[in-house]
Amino acid sequence: MKKTLLSAIVLVAVTAALPWVLGDYGVNLATEVYIMAILAMSLGLLMGYAGLVSLGHAAFFGIGAYTVALLGPAIPSTIVLIGLSMVLAGIIAWVTGMIFIRTSRFYFLMITVAFGQLIFALIWQLKSWTGGADGHKVSAPLDFGFGEMGSPLALYAVMAVAMVIVYVFLRVFVNSPAGRIVQGVMDNENRMTALGYNVRFYKVLAYTVAGAIAGLAGSLYAYFNLFVSPELTGWMFSGQVMMMVIIGGVGTLMGPAVGAALFIILQNFISSYTERWPIILGALLVTLVLVGRGGIVHWVGLARTKIFVRQKEASLQKSSSGHLYGK
Amino acid sequence: MSLSILFVQILTGLAYGMLYFMIAAGLTIILGVMNVVNLAHGTFFLIGAYVAYTLVSKHLGFWLALILSVGVTAILGLVIERLLIHRVYGKELEQVLLTFGLTFMLSDAAKWIWGTDIQTIPVPRVLDFSISVGSVDFPAYRLFIVAVGGALAVILWLLENRTRIGAIIRAGVDDRAMVTALGINVGAVFTGVFAFGAALAGLGGVLGGPLIGVYTGLDGDILVTSLIVVTVGGLGSWKGPFVGALLIGLMDTLGKVWFPSFSMLVIFLLMVVILLIRPRGLFGREVAP
Amino acid sequence: MKFARSHFIFSKWKTVLAASALSLALTACGGTTSTGTQSPQGTSASSSDTLKVGMILSATGTFAPLTESIRNGFQLYLDQHNGMLGGRKVEIKFEDDQEDPQVALRKYRQLVSSDKVDILVGPISSAVAYALRDGVEKDKIVLIDPNAAANDLSWKQKSDYIYRVSFSNWQNGSSVAKYIAQNIGKSAVTIAPDYPAGREVIQAFKAAFEASGGKVVKELYPKLGTNDFATYLTTIAQTKPDVVYSFETGSDGIRFVKQYADFGLKGKIPLTGTLELGDNLILDPAGDAAEGIISGVLYTPWLENNVNQTFVTSYQKKYNKLPNIFAVDGYDAAQVIDLAITKAGSTRSDDLIKVLKGISFNSPRGPVTIDPKTNNPIENFYVAKNVKLDGKIVPQVSQTIPNVTMPETPSPAAQ
């Protein structure tokens, strides 16, 4: 657990130092990046550790966000509301996960798209309750028992703490016996079955954990953004989160978070400077594939290897490509 | 609902189904044979339509424009496969990133070239009439699309079952290592398959132009539906996208009649139900790893 | 069992380096913002010689054509006034919200707290307008709305800082309802996309139409982005109303108009509709199929007034095509900012909102006054019929509906 502790300390130090160098808008953007990093890490758990590539993950984010938006007026406690978002997203993930993991590879990808679109359509259609296409305001105050936290810095701190907690939790989870079995199933499902493990249970477990964390990210986003709309659940958004994970590096925990930061910052800044941002962003993605070795985080590792430990280079190659089709 | 109205609805569903078939056929072949999820496939549809629009507005005539733009999309597919796609075989997540990036680039380039105004391709003059069906008219152009789709299904069936190329592709889906061992240039086959798939999407774009118009964002709209068609039908044969496309076309049309306020849900629910009964789609085969 | 994989070995170092990469990236983004901790409210107090205009419109997605027109119109006004509004050199910061309220909010925060714009123009989508509304009010920054038509922006969600220069769904739906009931037919089928604007337009039409003795016998709501209207067209053919009233925009509108002709309804049941059905954006691509449609328009390039003649000539010269209503809305957004700053002698939001209420200007569409009760324009609509002139379909105005004014509160029927 020493590694986990050290990583956490570094994360805390970096996040605590950031507001001193960022301006108002920078703090605001960083806050959003942390929330997206939580979401991307949860999808990273699915893709990189359980081999389940979902294109409907935003649905759980949306469920969390709408839980806060719709139940906020009725439930004053922030803790209860966030907890409820996670439980709700987790339960829905558990139920749908049991059904979806029957399909595999491409079909799993598509059935999760369908799930995301079903949630999207429900929110769109139940307009008397959700506001439909016009979206819905969030009026619940963020309050953990020591006053309302509405200022940008307070929000920043809350999201940073949440990200660190989620990171530590995921680190502990993937190193736990259950987490290792999940990875074992991804690497060789038949072997794990032969060894007597209930393979389906562990897949559903990973899907449920990822869903609940996405729900958490969604509920935090509602507090941050104060406005929710159906776009939060759509496949386009799911696709963007998947981009974050792939850009950052599949098979790592920190990679998706870095991918989220890069994706959001790039998209935001390129689109501010030029109207031709899709071409530039597209070209960047293509270049990344052509020169990349499985994500930014791996580059960092690679650079370090090149400089310090040449002989270990070989071991990096192993963790590059992804698992859309399983093994 | 009177019988003639039902008939019109079914014809409409068939016409749209055939358009989806043209795009989904390419998608499913590329996915089944090459194991590539081509998210840029909708963009070939868009570019085929835009090229045809330009040629028609230069008074080249619909039919010549049709042939030329299908050619252009085939060449575009060829170039993209040779330059980019062939570098990421076997790396599925890189394919997603690459083809997603390509969609961004190509559709923005299309916006740059053709602007944001919505365009339509005029219906060719010989088909610009309607046939009376009971109390309503039915446009002849839609029947033409149904006919083209039917002909395409026959051609794909012949290609798959009666030609050497078809045999190679079938064998490739089942066991790629075997095909390579037989000394067949799989690379060339793959390039051909990709270009052919792109050409089919381009054909769909040109034929769909008079029906659904050409506009920015069309590629995304069409991609999602055709991915659903592919999923419902299953990978690995022409049968999958054909039956899947007709089913989706009909359900989409009839869903509007039966469940007007939930029409957008119908095809997604259909997909979920089919996958629950048949996890590989209706005609899906086990695809080589 | 062997679970150790490369990333476990490197995880510690990677975490450290990745975290640094993250912080670097964030610092880079912070670097472009000013390091001061000035509050957003400070923005409206800037009195320098340049005027920073933040634009939030939708450049990608189905609204892209509208955005292009609005920007063209805005730029044309600037060109005609040496790039100045209210005597200040204008600097435009343009942001694409991709039709997504979430993206729009991020762009909004950037414009207000990082770019420190003085005034905002936008958005296209009503959902985005609702999303921005509370922030605009809190930050006290004036937003000139050149398109978002949601009724509630003038009613329950009205803000002292938001002024619409275009039109509301209520105006668009009710303008020609009386004319249709009196001159075309008493029984109508309506068709509009299944989203809030579609419902609002049809409610407004229905209330005005039935108040004039008409009766809406059927309301059809296809989903937004419908490819095929066959289902709805056959329903219309079976219902046999006197008239069809429709609100279909963009590519949906083109497909609807063409299919209305393809399925043989054109010439049998008169087609009427909102201003979109009399606008070039739909008329040019729809071609002959659009002939004969009667719509309540706010603008046509052939309107006879001095402002319009100059506007059309210079627009055509610059962009090589005819302007549409959205170009006029963009032009007027610039015009209203120009007048307000001149009149207030300041760019401070609180000075601007005093003069924006009740401000009048001469638009290419005719005289316009911003109603202080609703912050929505009082303006003329025109009954137009699409006719073929020199091989081109153009909307021909037959009658003026003067001073279409939004009520101060929703009428009971519209609830």
Side-chain angles (χ1 to χ4, degrees):
Chain A
M1 286 299 99
K2 230 174 82 190
K3 284 186 307 204
T4 310
L5 197 66
L6 183 76
S7 325
I9 290 172
V10 172
L11 263 182
V12 169
V14 169
T15 47
L18 267 180
W20 304 102
V21 280
L22 299 177
D24 278 357
Y25 175 63
V27 167
N28 203 291
L29 196 64
T31 310
E32 188 169 354
V33 163
Y34 293 151
I35 299 169
M36 291 304 155
I38 296 175
L39 177 61
M41 281 194 282
S42 71
L43 183 61
L45 174 76
L46 264 192
M47 288 169 65
Y49 293 85
L52 296 168
V53 181
S54 162
L55 195 43
H57 205 55
F60 299 113
F61 186 82
I63 289 168
Y66 269 91
T67 304
V68 172
L70 301 181
L71 298 182
I75 301 170
S77 163
T78 302
I79 300 274
V80 173
L81 213 47
I82 291 180
L84 203 63
S85 302
M86 291 182 72
V87 170
L88 201 63
I91 290 175
I92 294 175
W94 183 64
V95 172
T96 56
M98 299 249 276
I99 303 168
F100 294 169
I101 58 149
R102 282 164 43 92
T103 61
S104 58
R105 297 159 34 167
F106 173 71
Y107 299 100
F108 179 78
L109 187 84
M110 289 308 296
I111 204 165
T112 50
V113 172
F115 170 67
Q117 292 306 105
L118 290 179
I119 299 288
F120 178 90
L122 278 177
I123 293 174
W124 181 284
Q125 286 294 344
L126 299 173
K127 46 186 151 299
S128 56
W129 195 47
T130 61
D134 274 347
H136 199 285
K137 276 180 202 180
V138 179
S139 49
L142 186 63
D143 186 344
F144 291 101
F146 27 85
E148 192 177 334
M149 310 178 80
S151 80
L153 267 179
L155 277 170
Y156 174 91
V158 170
M159 302 313 164
V161 168
M163 183 180 75
V164 173
I165 291 174
V166 167
Y167 174 76
V168 171
F169 170 78
L170 285 177
R171 176 62 57 224
V172 170
F173 177 75
V174 297
N175 287 325
S176 70
R180 285 174 183 263
I181 295 168
V182 166
Q183 293 161 68
V185 171
M186 174 177 83
D187 289 338
N188 192 338
E189 187 166 339
N190 292 336
R191 196 173 100 165
M192 296 306 279
T193 313
L195 286 171
Y197 289 107
N198 182 349
V199 167
R200 289 187 57 184
F201 170 80
Y202 286 100
K203 281 189 176 178
V204 174
L205 176 71
Y207 194 72
T208 307
V209 169
I213 295 177
L216 167 71
S219 65
L220 294 175
Y221 186 75
Y223 283 113
F224 162 75
N225 208 43
L226 301 179
F227 187 83
V228 293
S229 66
E231 281 81 1
L232 288 180
T233 62
W235 72 273
M236 279 300 286
F237 184 44
S238 289
Q240 289 183 358
V241 181
M242 192 196 270
M243 293 299 123
M244 296 172 192
V245 175
I246 305 176
I247 291 173
V250 177
T252 66
L253 283 182
M254 202 59 216
V258 175
L262 269 181
F263 190 88
I264 289 177
I265 292 166
L266 277 180
Q267 193 190 28
N268 222 38
F269 279 82
I270 301 172
S271 65
S272 293
Y273 287 115
T274 167
E275 282 154 56
R276 295 267 82 92
W277 66 267
I279 279 200
I280 295 175
L281 191 68
L284 277 175
L285 292 180
V286 170
T287 317
L288 202 64
V289 172
L290 296 185
V291 304
R293 299 208 182 198
I296 303 284
V297 168
H298 294 290
W299 296 4
V300 175
L302 190 70
R304 200 191 77 86
T305 316
K306 278 255 156 74
I307 300 164
F308 302 108
V309 213
R310 238 163 234 285
Q311 64 271 29
K312 288 201 178 165
E313 191 174 357
S315 60
L316 270 165
Q317 310 296 339
K318 270 170 60 187
S319 59
S320 58
S321 106
H323 303 278
L324 183 49
Y325 294 141
K327 287 278 164 70
Chain B
M1 189 161 41
S2 79
L3 217 57
S4 70
I5 299 289
L6 183 67
F7 185 65
V8 166
Q9 308 291 17
I10 289 173
L11 275 182
T12 301
L14 283 181
Y16 278 88
M18 290 302 184
L19 273 187
Y20 294 139
F21 171 53
M22 290 171 210
I23 316 149
L27 255 182
T28 191
I29 297 175
I30 292 172
L31 188 55
V33 177
M34 303 159 68
N35 245 343
V36 171
V37 181
N38 181 20
L39 295 180
H41 208 66
T43 314
F44 292 129
F45 182 91
L46 180 76
I47 288 179
Y50 265 130
V51 171
Y53 161 76
T54 304
L55 295 176
V56 167
S57 56
K58 298 241 181 296
H59 305 291
L60 229 62
F62 184 83
W63 306 106
L64 191 57
L66 175 77
I67 295 165
L68 287 177
S69 29
V70 170
V72 168
T73 42
I75 292 168
L76 187 68
L78 190 106
V79 171
I80 286 176
E81 200 279 340
R82 281 285 84 200
L83 280 183
L84 301 170
I85 305 283
H86 88 105
R87 292 168 199 266
V88 291
Y89 283 134
K91 300 185 218 159
E92 288 87 357
L93 290 178
E94 269 97 336
Q95 292 164 4
V96 170
L97 205 60
L98 180 78
T99 53
F100 198 75
L102 272 176
T103 344
F104 266 66
M105 291 172 73
L106 289 176
S107 51
D108 199 43
K111 195 167 113 188
W112 208 345
I113 300 171
W114 285 283
T116 57
D117 284 350
I118 305 151
Q119 313 292 359
T120 60
I121 301 171
V123 175
R125 194 160 303 148
V126 282
L127 294 170
D128 197 5
F129 61 96
S130 293
I131 294 156
S132 175
V133 185
S135 58
V136 285
D137 291 355
F138 192 79
Y141 184 74
R142 287 162 188 244
L143 291 176
F144 168 71
I145 289 183
V146 176
V148 173
L152 185 68
V154 173
I155 291 170
L156 286 181
W157 177 76
L158 286 175
L159 269 179
E160 193 178 310
N161 294 295
R162 294 278 192 275
T163 65
R164 196 176 120 79
I165 280 283
I168 294 172
I169 289 174
R170 261 182 299 146
V173 172
D174 292 336
D175 189 347
R176 189 166 306 151
M178 177 83 149
V179 177
T180 322
L182 288 173
I184 288 156
N185 183 349
V186 180
V189 172
F190 279 14
T191 309
V193 163
F194 198 85
F196 180 65
L200 283 183
L203 175 71
V206 183
L207 292 179
L211 219 58
I212 53 187
V214 200
Y215 53 92
T216 50
L218 173 64
D219 46 350
D221 294 354
I222 218 83
L223 179 74
V224 179
T225 318
S226 29
L227 278 172
I228 293 170
V229 165
V230 170
T231 314
V232 165
L235 304 176
S237 133
W238 68 276
K239 249 184 283 171
F242 186 72
V243 176
L246 293 190
L247 198 60
I248 293 294
L250 284 175
M251 282 309 290
D252 194 26
T253 307
L254 295 175
K256 283 180 214 155
V257 186
W258 294 330
F259 321 98
S261 56
F262 282 90
S263 61
M264 63 197 283
L265 278 174
V266 171
I267 58 174
F268 285 107
L269 276 176
L270 180 74
M271 177 167 102
V272 172
V273 169
I274 285 178
L275 282 185
L276 290 186
I277 302 165
R278 296 187 59 95
R280 286 175 203 289
L282 292 175
F283 297 94
R285 285 188 283 164
E286 177 63 57
V287 179
Chain C
M1 258 182 284
K2 198 166 141 257
F3 290 114
R5 293 191 308 178
S6 57
H7 61 265
F8 287 123
I9 303 167
F10 288 110
S11 73
K12 179 177 68 182
W13 277 103
K14 271 185 205 156
T15 308
V16 175
L17 289 165
S20 327
L22 182 83
S23 68
L24 266 177
L26 288 170
T27 317
C29 88
T32 62
T33 69
S34 82
T35 41
T37 46
Q38 207 180 346
S39 73
Q41 277 88 335
T43 54
S44 45
S46 91
S47 59
S48 61
D49 287 321
T50 48
L51 177 77
K52 273 194 181 175
V53 179
M55 271 193 188
I56 304 181
L57 300 168
S58 312
T60 39
T62 47
F63 290 136
L66 276 63
T67 296
E68 190 183 306
S69 298
I70 289 173
R71 295 183 72 185
N72 285 350
F74 198 95
Q75 190 57 47
L76 184 69
Y77 188 89
L78 282 183
D79 288 358
Q80 292 175 348
H81 297 80
N82 304 319
M84 314 251 273
L85 292 179
R88 286 156 176 83
K89 201 88 194 133
V90 171
E91 184 191 332
I92 297 178
K93 294 290 285 181
F94 179 82
E95 293 291 352
D96 175 12
D97 66 22
Q98 303 165 43
E99 289 174 30
D100 182 339
Q102 316 301 332
V103 177
L105 275 166
R106 194 190 303 145
K107 295 297 192 185
Y108 166 80
R109 290 189 279 261
Q110 184 181 346
L111 286 174
V112 173
S113 58
S114 170
D115 297 330
K116 313 234 180 263
V117 296
D118 299 293
I119 194 164
L120 286 166
V121 173
I124 301 280
S125 138
S126 290
V128 172
Y130 284 137
L132 298 184
R133 190 243 173 228
D134 284 5
V136 162
E137 184 134 296
K138 193 173 115 257
D139 296 332
K140 299 190 193 304
I141 184 155
V142 173
L143 174 84
I144 303 296
D145 169 10
N147 188 70
N151 288 340
D152 246 9
L153 289 173
S154 292
W155 292 335
K156 267 185 262 153
Q157 302 252 36
K158 185 182 136 185
S159 162
D160 274 348
Y161 294 91
I162 301 179
Y163 295 86
R164 179 154 47 203
V165 294
S166 45
F167 54 89
S168 68
N169 287 328
W170 185 92
Q171 286 174 303
N172 200 10
S174 51
S175 68
V176 284
K178 190 175 166 195
Y179 175 89
I180 294 170
Q182 288 174 349
N183 298 287
I184 303 175
K186 297 287 185 202
S187 75
V189 170
T190 65
I191 180 164
D194 188 11
Y195 78 127
R199 302 264 173 185
E200 286 186 5
V201 166
I202 296 305
Q203 277 167 3
F205 171 78
K206 192 176 174 184
F209 187 66
E210 298 194 337
S212 304
K215 175 90 190 126
V216 170
V217 290
K218 198 166 224 142
E219 295 175 38
L220 301 170
Y221 292 101
K223 71 175 183 197
L224 193 61
T226 293
N227 278 338
D228 195 82
F229 292 92
T231 311
Y232 307 100
L233 294 170
T234 46
T235 311
I236 292 170
Q238 278 182 312
T239 314
K240 296 191 178 69
D242 296 340
V243 58
V244 173
Y245 180 82
S246 71
F247 166 67
E248 290 289 347
T249 65
S251 52
D252 284 17
I254 295 162
R255 288 192 282 253
F256 177 71
V257 167
K258 288 184 68 147
Q259 291 174 13
Y260 197 85
D262 287 344
F263 281 86
L265 289 172
K266 185 189 164 203
K268 277 187 199 154
I269 304 169
L271 177 60
T272 64
T274 56
L275 61 86
E276 286 81 0
L277 291 188
D279 194 81
N280 296 340
L281 216 52
I282 285 185
L283 298 194
D284 290 345
D288 287 356
E291 196 180 352
I293 298 174
I294 291 165
S295 58
V297 299
L298 194 46
Y299 174 75
T300 88
W302 296 273
L303 281 185
E304 284 173 10
N305 66 60
N306 293 336
V307 182
N308 189 39
Q309 268 144 22
T310 335
F311 174 72
V312 172
T313 319
S314 37
Y315 193 94
Q316 264 188 311
K317 202 170 148 202
K318 187 166 161 73
Y319 302 109
N320 202 21
K321 56 182 173 189
L322 282 170
N324 54 32
I325 175 62
F326 308 105
V328 174
D329 289 335
Y331 185 85
D332 287 339
Q335 178 166 201
V336 87
I337 294 173
D338 192 12
L339 290 181
I341 294 177
T342 310
K343 217 168 149 186
S346 144
T347 57
R348 290 191 58 239
S349 298
D350 290 325
D351 297 330
L352 289 179
I353 62 171
K354 283 186 201 121
V355 295
L356 277 167
K357 285 186 189 301
I359 203 166
S360 294
F361 54 93
N362 282 315
S363 163
R365 70 190 113 155
V368 177
T369 300
I370 302 291
D371 186 348
K373 292 189 191 108
T374 52
N375 296 353
N376 188 64
I378 300 171
E379 55 200 332
N380 297 342
F381 274 69
Y382 307 93
V383 179
K385 183 174 187 174
N386 297 337
V387 296
K388 199 164 182 173
L389 266 181
D390 304 328
K392 190 175 153 57
I393 304 292
V394 298
Q396 197 172 59
V397 171
S398 64
Q399 195 176 321
T400 303
I401 311 155
N403 299 329
V404 178
T405 311
M406 220 182 156
E408 198 173 348
T409 49
S411 64
Q415 285 292 21

